[in-house]
Amino acid sequence: MTDEGTPVSDHYPITPRRVSFDWEETPLHWIPDEPTATHVINVLHLLLPAGERWFVKVFKEGLPLVRDPELLKDVKGFMGQEATHSVQHSYVLDHLAAQDLDTGAYTKHVDYLFRKILGETPPLGVPIPEPEWLRFRLSVIAAIEQFTAVLGDWVLAAEGLDRAGADEVMLDLLRWHGAEEVEHRAVAFDMYQHCGGEGLPRYARRVAGMAVTAPVMLYMWAWGAAYLIRHDPRLAGRLRYSLGEHNRAVRKGLLPTWKELGSAVPRYLRRSYHPSQEGSMRRAIEYLAQSPAARTAAGAIGRAAIG
């Protein structure tokens, strides 16, 4: 691997899985008696439907630039997985709405962020050339995927959620998604490296992508958790999001530590870094082999093939 983060030879095929989940029995506080931990994780459902649709859209713009057949196959597999993630998390928003927790006032801002601020053309008519704007957005996706790989690996090993009696269907959604994030952990980075130019400008743009992504994600997450707790009909205003409650959930193993999240940034900024170093592919593959939703999806494909 070179100092510019050239992909390593280790390769794993990226396969979309057409999963589905039944939310009928999942309670609003799917981690019993832990509304703060529940809603901090629920922010995923607020951000991902619009965010992952945006990933797919930007990658479609970049497909004509991909000259490597293996990368092209991986990118198409990534796009298929991300499209499924977007759909499944949007169903959770419907489930929250059915329990009188309407997220529309928050998600309209998320939609605006991805549709307008990070859309096909730079916001406010900023004169950025089209190829450069595409490269920047690819760098943002690569930076976001650094965090999703970290979160995916965390949730696969988060025994605290099992000890707390978290809802099995929600755990399967999170762990199936997390396993696929680890599975395709390097694709967005490789796509950026392939399309992002050469030498120091490519690295500088990678740094810029993370410099924008990390603070925006932190802000959106805190805002989203505060919104969900404030509008939770079961809490009726009796609780507010606080760092103290958040850290209490971290100590119980219900949320990742700040160190786990924060250390992802300096790793990513190393010139020699490649996401194949992130997380446990073995753990991800093992979970995908046992995930109820993934097994059902695989069985349906098998039956269709036989039929």
Side-chain angles (χ1 to χ4, degrees):
M1 188 166 59
T2 72
D3 65 352
E4 287 294 324
T6 301
V8 296
S9 59
D10 182 32
H11 183 262
Y12 188 80
I14 311 301
T15 306
R17 297 168 181 86
R18 304 308 180 190
V19 300
S20 61
F21 302 89
D22 181 359
W23 299 111
E24 188 68 27
E25 302 300 324
T26 298
L28 183 58
H29 296 167
W30 55 267
I31 309 175
D33 303 315
E34 294 288 348
T36 293
T38 292
H39 287 316
V40 168
I41 296 177
N42 277 346
V43 176
L44 285 168
H45 312 309
L46 303 181
L47 297 176
L48 292 179
E52 294 185 307
R53 286 195 302 270
W54 177 74
F55 289 2
V56 173
K57 190 174 187 302
V58 175
F59 270 35
K60 281 183 179 177
E61 292 179 42
L63 281 179
L65 304 177
V66 180
R67 301 174 301 279
D68 180 87
E70 187 173 88
L71 177 60
L72 183 62
K73 184 177 180 180
D74 285 348
V75 166
K76 289 180 177 179
F78 173 94
M79 291 166 67
Q81 288 189 342
E82 295 295 328
T84 302
H85 297 169
S86 175
V87 169
Q88 295 306 321
H89 284 280
S90 70
Y91 289 151
V92 181
L93 295 184
D94 295 338
H95 177 62
L96 295 179
Q99 298 180 90
D100 299 319
L101 179 47
D102 185 3
T103 59
Y106 177 91
T107 56
K108 71 178 182 181
H109 297 288
V110 179
D111 291 338
Y112 183 83
L113 170 65
F114 289 111
R115 190 178 67 254
K116 294 294 186 181
I117 304 299
L118 292 170
E120 283 189 51
T121 57
L124 305 176
V126 177
I128 302 175
E130 182 177 333
E132 183 62 24
W133 181 238
L134 175 59
R135 290 183 186 126
F136 172 72
R137 288 181 295 150
L138 288 172
S139 78
V140 169
I141 295 175
I144 294 173
E145 285 290 299
Q146 170 73 350
F147 290 110
T148 59
V150 169
L151 290 171
D153 192 60
W154 172 80
V155 78
L156 288 169
E159 295 179 357
L161 293 173
D162 299 284
R163 289 193 299 269
D167 178 74
E168 291 182 359
V169 177
M170 185 65 78
L171 272 185
D172 189 32
L173 168 72
L174 295 172
R175 286 175 171 162
W176 154 76
H177 186 167
E180 290 199 344
E181 291 299 329
V182 174
E183 187 179 47
H184 68 226
R185 59 194 173 183
V187 176
F189 184 93
D190 291 343
M191 177 70 164
Y192 171 71
Q193 292 291 102
H194 187 79
C195 301
E198 301 291 339
L200 183 60
R202 179 172 67 177
Y203 174 71
R205 198 180 298 107
R206 171 152 68 96
V207 172
M210 179 57 79
V212 169
T213 296
V216 170
M217 282 189 66
L218 179 62
Y219 174 76
M220 295 297 289
W221 217 292
W223 180 19
Y227 176 93
L228 289 169
I229 291 171
R230 188 169 65 253
H231 290 85
D232 184 324
R234 287 189 56 191
L235 297 175
R238 294 188 303 273
L239 181 69
R240 289 289 185 266
Y241 174 72
S242 72
L243 194 57
E245 284 295 308
H246 185 118
N247 289 338
R248 186 184 67 83
V250 169
R251 291 192 295 271
K252 296 176 74 170
L254 303 176
L255 297 173
T257 68
W258 296 109
K259 181 178 179 180
E260 286 172 312
L261 297 172
S263 63
V265 176
R267 282 200 305 277
Y268 183 82
L269 297 180
R270 291 200 301 264
R271 292 287 291 271
S272 61
Y273 181 71
H274 188 265
S276 56
Q277 305 164 19
E278 204 65 63
S280 169
M281 183 69 80
R282 175 192 56 79
R283 184 158 53 210
I285 294 169
E286 286 177 355
Y287 186 77
L288 290 168
Q290 70 184 51
S291 159
R295 285 167 62 90
T296 299
I301 291 173
R303 288 190 297 273
I306 293 171

